[in-house]
Every structure is written in C-alpha cells, then in structure tokens.
Amino acid sequence: MTKMKMICTACPMGCSITATVDDNENIVNITGQNCGRGVAYARAEVANPARSFHSTLRVADGDLPMVSVKTTAPVPKNTLMDCAQATRGMIAKAPIAVGDVLLSDIAGTGVDLVATTRVTANG
C-alpha cells in the first residue's frame, strides 16, 4: 500500500488529502477532504494528474514586449516540460486579443494555448 498526500485545489479550502492506493493502483481509502469535490479531486489526481500550463511569449511589433498565455484546459502533468519546450523561442505577432489561439494542440495534448493579455500593434 502507498499513501499519496496532496493539497486539494477543487475549492478554496485547500484540504490536505491522503489517498491510500494498493499495489494494483486501486484507491482503498481517501481521508482529509471536507467536501465531495475533494474525493473527486483525489481520484483524478491518482488516476491522471493534470495541470494548467501558464507562460509568457515574446511579442513582435506590439505595444508590449510579452504576452501571457495559458492552456484552455489542464494537460497531463507529465507533459508540462514538453509544453514549455514547445513554446521556447516562440514569438507571437501583434495584434493579439485575449483568447486568441497562439498554438494549437500544444505538445500533442489536444489542448490549445491562448493569450490572456491584449497586445496592440505598434504604429
């Protein structure tokens, strides 16, 4: 049996949850949650941990030198470094609106990378 400790992010309470997992990776017990969302969070975290990816990209010809970006949905946790590599050296061209897709299917995850800041074009 393995005990996986995690901080739940399903709500603002930030419960310290412990999931006990057997040798076949089946959840035997979940403790520490204060609501049902904690149970669902722990089950998802054990089965397929995922995170949102946030970063910045350089901007060409814009009123700002950088644009903040994020994925439209969480990506598998083990692909975060691949997402970072996919954006390395990327330059976005102004104008950019909030929600513009700047990279489709980032790192083969099926999730898009979108702008979270508006950048107008110079001149």
Side-chain angles (χ1 to χ4, degrees), residues 13-62:
M13 297 221 14
C15 298
S16 294
I17 297 177
T18 301
T20 305
V21 181
D22 68 16
D23 295 336
N24 295 322
E25 298 185 13
N26 296 313
I27 297 174
V28 175
N29 191 27
I30 298 172
T31 60
Q33 75 282 358
N34 287 317
C35 68
R37 289 185 285 180
V39 172
Y41 175 85
R43 289 188 187 286
E45 189 66 11
V46 169
N48 186 22
R51 302 288 184 273
S52 294
F53 175 76
H54 301 256
S55 190
T56 55
L57 301 177
R58 286 185 285 164
V59 174
D61 304 323

Side-chain angles (χ1 to χ4, degrees), residues 52-105:
S52 294
F53 175 76
H54 301 256
S55 190
T56 55
L57 301 177
R58 286 185 285 164
V59 174
D61 304 323
D63 65 333
L64 297 173
M66 307 286 280
V67 61
S68 60
V69 294
K70 71 172 192 151
T71 51
T72 56
V75 297
K77 186 177 176 183
N78 65 352
T79 66
L80 289 174
M81 291 305 290
D82 297 329
C83 291
Q85 184 64 34
T87 60
R88 177 178 277 162
M90 223 177 123
I91 299 173
K93 179 126 173 73
I96 302 166
V98 172
D100 280 357
V101 175
L102 300 178
L103 182 59
S104 296
D105 188 24

